[in-house]
Amino acid sequence: MSSTDAQAFALSLAKTLMVVIVIFRAGDGSLSVVSADEFDGDASQIVREIDPFAR
């Protein structure tokens, strides 16, 4: 997934589900999106967190 697609998808998920979403780099170098409470990978792989409650 491209960076633009990952960010758009993450923002949409965060606003729809009202949870913090994490964009991270997977082992093959691609970007993936998951809710923060489900992310159990290496914190150094996190590209961005999207918090729907942040101002």
Side-chain angles (χ1 to χ4, degrees):
M1 174 179 316
S2 72
S3 177
T4 303
D5 289 342
Q7 290 191 43
F9 182 51
L11 183 59
S12 176
L13 274 178
K15 288 184 175 183
T16 301
L17 301 175
M18 296 305 291
V19 297
V20 177
I21 299 294
V22 173
I23 302 171
F24 66 97
R25 190 162 308 281
D28 63 358
S30 65
L31 294 175
S32 296
V33 176
V34 69
S35 64
D37 61 343
E38 293 184 17
F39 180 73
D40 61 355
D42 185 5
S44 68
Q45 298 301 317
I46 294 176
V47 174
R48 183 172 180 201
E49 291 183 1
I50 299 182
D51 184 353
F53 301 105
R55 290 186 165 223

